[in-house]
């Protein structure tokens, strides 16, 4: 029988398992339970001859089929410990199913008037992308209905980089009024349009880093522009609706104070395949049900699952 020393493995770290040869009929147990296979006639004669010749005791090494298992100690040495499961909110999957059910009608303002509905589908690709970016710049702190109205007026005059640069500030302000912070947006739109003409041939950048470097373009706009204009999911677009609802539902490990912190908190656990869906889903939910003031908890399917429901709407 092969010893631990012969095999080059320590008994502390290896458990030996010896596989016996095929058993013949009538074979019985031997020793510690290992069963002996009967010898054939020629083998028996050879064994008898060897036993009477003590000077020639060289025996042909018999190969044994050996398997081994590493000990618990050996398994732990140099092995990467299993990663602890990451944090995720309690009941988030059922909450998401309920929100999808409540949003199944697709009848919130964002569903008809969001950035993906404000550009001219017949325009050349780079003009469409420019119009998407412009609609996102106008949408900040502005209701979708107001943004859509401003985009209609701009498109009626031919909305391109060149046309905006040729429009004086007073006229541009009249066209986009009453979007929020319209005076600042006149300045940002002119500055950004000039940069796009000089550096990008009238197109928009294809990266978040370049987009947020443009005057008046924030992270939410950049991620939406990447999704709508370029068809690329670069991150979760978090506006005031997403920020508010994520905190109410407990979708952040700790309360977050800004949309960007909420974005980082959501991206840390939410499966990436849901990133493109979550903005439109929660924005519409925030426009119709989970309102900033006086949320409609009585009509919400998540009332029993929402940590904020009791404090917002009572028992």
């Amino acid at each position: 029988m092969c010893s631990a020393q012969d095999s080059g493995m320590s008994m502390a770290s290896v458990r030996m398992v010896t596989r016996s040869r095929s058993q013949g009929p009538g074979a019985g147990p031997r020793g510690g339970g290992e069963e002996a296979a009967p010898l054939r006639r020629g083998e028996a004669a050879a064994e008898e001859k060897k036993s009477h010749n003590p000077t020639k005791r060289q025996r042909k090494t018999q190969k044994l089929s050996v398997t081994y298992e590493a000990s618990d100690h050996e398994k732990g040495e140099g092995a990467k410990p299993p990663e602890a499961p990451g944090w995720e909110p309690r009941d988030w999957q059922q909450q998401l199913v309920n929100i999808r059910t409540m949003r199944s009608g697709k009848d919130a303002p964002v569903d008809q008037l969001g950035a993906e509905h404000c550009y001219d589908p017949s325009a050349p690709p780079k003009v469409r992308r420019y119009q998407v970016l412009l609609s996102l710049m106008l949408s900040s702190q502005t209701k979708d209905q107001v943004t859509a109205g401003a985009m209609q007026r701009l498109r009626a005059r031919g909305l391109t980089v060149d046309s905006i640069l040729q429009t004086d500030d007073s006229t541009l302000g009249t066209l986009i009024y009453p979007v929020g912070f319209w005076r600042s947006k006149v300045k940002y739109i002119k500055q950004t349009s000039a940069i796009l003409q000089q550096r990008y041939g009238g197109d928009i950048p294809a990266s978040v880093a370049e987009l947020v470097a443009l005057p008046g373009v924030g992270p939410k706009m950049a991620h939406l522009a990447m999704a709508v204009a370029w068809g690329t999911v670069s991150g979760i677009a978090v506006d005031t609706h997403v920020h508010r609802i994520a905190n109410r539902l407990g979708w952040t490990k700790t309360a977050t104070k800004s949309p960007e912190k909420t974005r980082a908190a959501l991206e840390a656990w939410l499966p990436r395949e849901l990133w493109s869906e979550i903005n439109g889903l929660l924005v519409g939910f925030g426009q119709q049900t989970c309102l900033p003031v006086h949320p409609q908890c009585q009509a919400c399917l998540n009332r029993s699952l929402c940590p904020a429901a009791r404090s917002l709407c009572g028992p």
Side-chain angles (χ1 to χ4, degrees):
M1 182 174 179
C2 179
S3 68
Q5 184 176 2
D6 294 335
S7 65
M9 297 177 290
S10 66
M11 292 297 291
S13 63
V14 179
R15 181 168 74 246
M16 307 290 292
V17 181
T18 307
R19 296 176 180 167
S20 62
R21 292 180 177 274
S22 300
Q23 299 178 6
R30 184 182 68 178
E34 180 180 348
E35 296 182 354
L39 296 174
R40 293 189 293 273
R41 181 177 301 176
E43 291 174 336
E47 288 295 327
E48 183 178 2
K49 182 177 179 181
K50 289 176 183 178
S51 64
H52 290 288
N53 190 359
T55 59
K56 295 181 180 181
R57 296 189 58 84
Q58 295 181 356
R59 300 178 62 184
K60 185 177 180 180
T61 302
Q62 184 178 6
K63 292 184 177 180
L64 298 177
S65 177
V66 177
T67 61
Y68 66 94
E69 293 180 358
S71 67
D72 292 340
H73 175 71
E74 185 178 75
K75 287 178 182 177
E77 292 181 353
K80 185 178 180 181
E83 293 184 2
W87 179 88
E88 63 181 36
R90 180 180 179 182
D91 300 323
W92 75 269
Q93 291 174 311
Q94 186 59 51
Q95 291 170 337
L96 182 61
V97 169
N98 291 341
I99 294 173
R100 284 175 175 153
T101 300
M102 290 183 282
R103 292 278 288 112
S104 59
K106 298 290 183 183
D107 52 359
V110 70
D111 297 314
Q112 284 83 38
L113 304 172
E116 63 271 29
H117 303 289
C118 287
Y119 63 85
D120 179 4
S122 64
K126 73 176 183 180
V127 174
R128 295 200 301 265
R129 289 191 286 268
Y130 173 67
Q131 291 180 1
V132 167
L133 180 62
L134 212 64
S135 71
L136 290 168
M137 294 176 69
L138 293 173
S139 70
S140 176
Q141 304 294 314
T142 305
K143 290 184 177 180
D144 289 330
Q145 298 92 322
V146 176
T147 300
M151 286 296 295
Q152 286 178 351
R153 293 189 293 273
L154 290 171
R155 284 172 51 187
R157 295 171 59 93
L159 181 52
T160 65
V161 169
D162 290 338
S163 70
I164 288 295
L165 292 175
Q166 292 168 11
T167 302
D168 62 81
D169 290 3
S170 177
T171 301
L172 182 57
T174 301
L175 290 170
I176 68 173
Y177 180 85
V179 300
F181 304 99
W182 62 272
R183 291 184 178 86
S184 297
K185 289 177 182 178
V186 167
K187 179 179 65 175
Y188 293 146
I189 287 171
K190 282 292 192 73
Q191 291 174 343
T192 289
S193 298
I195 292 171
L196 297 181
Q197 185 186 61
Q198 295 165 8
R199 300 182 187 175
Y200 299 99
D203 208 340
I204 71 171
S207 73
V208 171
E210 291 174 291
L211 284 165
V212 296
L214 297 171
V217 178
K220 180 209 76 171
M221 302 177 206
H223 288 299
L224 280 176
M226 290 297 295
V228 178
W230 292 110
T232 300
V233 178
S234 56
I236 299 174
V238 177
D239 66 353
T240 55
H241 293 291
V242 179
H243 172 61
R244 176 179 74 254
I245 294 168
N247 277 274
R248 284 180 177 177
L249 289 175
W251 282 12
T252 59
K253 193 172 183 179
T254 58
T256 54
K257 301 299 183 182
S258 69
E260 264 301 275
K261 290 187 180 298
T262 300
R263 180 185 66 80
L266 288 174
E267 290 179 358
W269 67 266
L270 189 69
R272 192 177 181 90
E273 60 268 21
L274 300 177
W275 288 10
S276 61
E277 174 191 18
I278 210 68
N279 176 268
L281 197 65
L282 295 189
V283 169
F285 180 55
Q287 290 174 337
Q288 294 181 308
T289 305
C290 198
L291 305 173
V293 181
H294 306 304
Q296 306 299 307
C297 297
Q298 299 293 339
C300 182
L301 298 179
N302 282 327
R303 182 180 178 186
S304 63
L305 300 175
C306 177
R310 181 175 293 272
S311 62
L312 288 171
C313 301

